[in-house]
Amino acid sequence: MSQSLALRDPWSMVPSLGNLDAYISAVNRLPLLSADEEQEFASRLREHGDLQAASRLVMSHLRLVVSISRQYLGYGLPQGDLIQEGNVGLMKAVKRFDPSQGVRLVSYAMHWIKAEIHEYILKNWRMVKVATTKAQRKLFFNLRSLKHGMKEDAPDDQSHRNSMSVAELDRVAQQLQVRREDVLEMETRLAGGDVALEAQTDDDGESFAPIAYLSDESSEPTRVLESRSRDMLATEGLKTALAALDERSRRIVEERWLKVNDDASGGMTLHELAAEYGVSAERIRQIEVAAMKKMRKALAQA
């Protein structure tokens, strides 16, 4: 029997998030699961609904949530709240994790953890949402990161500037592959104020900032795993998924989701495709939904 199984009540080892330092210290002392233990617990949960196995999987990855939460301290929101939301994402990941896919839970869970934290930030960072579409949300997080990088690189006599120059707007637009107008619009929204400045400790009001802006995350384990997984899905995974479709379904998916014209607009609309194939727009939408389901199934089996 493993060490983690020998713990009668492992949750008793973890204090509440009210004492953040004690919580972080406690979760960092929790034992990690080996690959075999993880497979065993995940199989017991998936096949028998074993809640004790689910508990072991969640607890062994609480430190992952703490690590990811540090990447978002610069938004001025309490780290305890970020961790709490990340833990919700972790539990969702554990519930949906399929051990037969041959991947470790850590690489699967970090997407769910970040998704929950992103939702929390977007709902609470401003009274008025600054990002409403998927593309705007991606621009929201990437733009903040790039802006802080440019501040660090700027000369001392220019580091106080809050607004971006035309050259900086063009540089960001090129890096994020969006229009300069989109960057300018998001920059205007971000400059609107109403940022929560609550300190994360009792020391001073700026205690949260440096760790978010100065840490080198290029070799951080979750970032490396996420990058590898994203690269695989964007190349071989996408090719495999598209190959599972018939010609019409594949073209509809490509036109609706994968095609970008020179003016940064997307491919054909539902009505344009409907006119071409001689069916209703609703029928094109149904074909698109069915194709997406088939692609997800192909990706899961890849």
Side-chain angles (χ1 to χ4, degrees):
M1 181 177 293
S2 67
Q3 180 183 2
S4 56
L5 273 174
L7 299 174
R8 174 174 295 182
D9 184 15
W11 285 104
S12 64
M13 299 174 58
V14 181
S16 70
L17 278 166
N19 188 340
L20 186 59
D21 290 338
Y23 175 88
I24 294 176
S25 177
V27 300
N28 284 333
R29 291 196 303 268
L30 291 174
L32 295 173
L33 297 178
S34 67
D36 291 339
E37 288 175 326
E38 184 178 291
Q39 284 283 318
E40 175 191 349
F41 291 140
S43 297
R44 282 166 45 181
L45 171 61
R46 192 171 183 84
E47 296 171 9
H48 307 293
D50 190 332
L51 296 183
Q52 187 180 35
S55 176
R56 298 297 189 270
L57 291 169
V58 170
M59 293 195 63
S60 67
H61 289 79
L62 290 178
R63 69 182 68 192
L64 173 65
V65 178
V66 172
S67 175
I68 292 176
S69 72
R70 293 194 181 102
Q71 302 173 20
Y72 301 94
L73 295 181
Y75 294 96
L77 298 171
Q79 187 179 8
D81 291 350
L82 296 174
I83 292 174
Q84 181 171 297
E85 295 300 318
N87 285 344
V88 172
L90 172 60
M91 288 185 282
K92 289 182 178 180
V94 167
K95 181 179 180 181
R96 294 166 172 80
F97 181 59
D98 183 356
S100 66
Q101 295 302 312
V103 298
R104 293 299 298 267
L105 177 57
V106 63
S107 61
Y108 180 77
M110 59 187 177
H111 300 288
W112 289 91
I113 295 169
K114 289 186 176 183
E116 290 297 322
I117 293 177
H118 284 185
E119 286 296 321
Y120 172 75
I121 291 174
L122 291 170
K123 289 178 181 177
N124 293 277
W125 191 67
R126 290 279 304 278
M127 292 298 292
V128 180
K129 292 182 180 180
V130 298
T132 54
T133 67
K134 183 177 180 180
Q136 288 176 336
R137 294 182 183 195
K138 182 178 180 180
L139 179 57
F140 171 82
F141 288 103
N142 288 336
L143 179 57
R144 283 183 61 87
S145 176
L146 287 175
K147 280 188 64 180
H148 288 307
M150 287 189 292
K151 281 185 179 181
E152 295 298 330
D153 296 336
D156 293 339
D157 60 345
Q158 297 183 18
S159 59
H160 66 281
R161 291 189 299 108
N162 291 322
S163 60
M164 298 173 64
S165 67
V166 174
E168 288 173 336
L169 286 171
D170 289 335
R171 173 183 166 191
V172 171
Q174 183 177 8
Q175 286 186 254
L176 299 182
Q177 297 183 333
V178 296
R179 298 179 303 173
R180 187 176 71 176
E181 290 77 9
D182 295 332
V183 178
L184 181 59
E185 179 184 359
M186 185 58 66
E187 164 68 4
T188 302
R189 296 188 188 188
L190 290 173
D194 297 333
V195 181
L197 296 177
E198 180 181 354
Q200 303 303 298
T201 69
D202 296 331
D203 296 333
D204 58 74
E206 296 180 353
S207 58
F208 65 85
I211 192 172
Y213 306 149
L214 303 180
S215 59
D216 181 8
E217 300 176 349
S218 60
S219 299
E220 200 269 327
T222 57
R223 183 64 60 85
V224 173
L225 288 171
E226 183 182 34
S227 177
R228 290 177 181 173
S229 177
R230 183 172 60 249
D231 290 344
M232 186 281 291
L233 289 175
T235 54
E236 296 301 322
L238 182 59
K239 186 185 299 183
T240 300
L242 288 172
L245 305 177
D246 59 78
E247 183 178 351
R248 182 175 64 172
S249 297
R250 182 165 57 251
R251 181 163 183 271
I252 290 174
V253 170
E254 289 175 343
E255 287 288 345
R256 293 280 294 150
W257 295 98
L258 302 179
K259 190 172 182 180
V260 178
N261 296 327
D262 294 337
D263 60 355
S265 62
M268 301 173 68
T269 66
L270 289 174
H271 291 284
E272 289 172 340
L273 288 166
E276 178 176 327
Y277 286 105
V279 296
S280 66
E282 174 61 20
R283 178 54 184 157
I284 294 296
R285 190 194 65 81
Q286 292 172 356
I287 296 173
E288 179 184 330
V289 170
M292 288 296 186
K293 290 181 179 179
K294 195 169 185 178
M295 288 178 68
R296 282 194 290 268
K297 183 177 180 180
L299 283 173
Q301 297 174 347

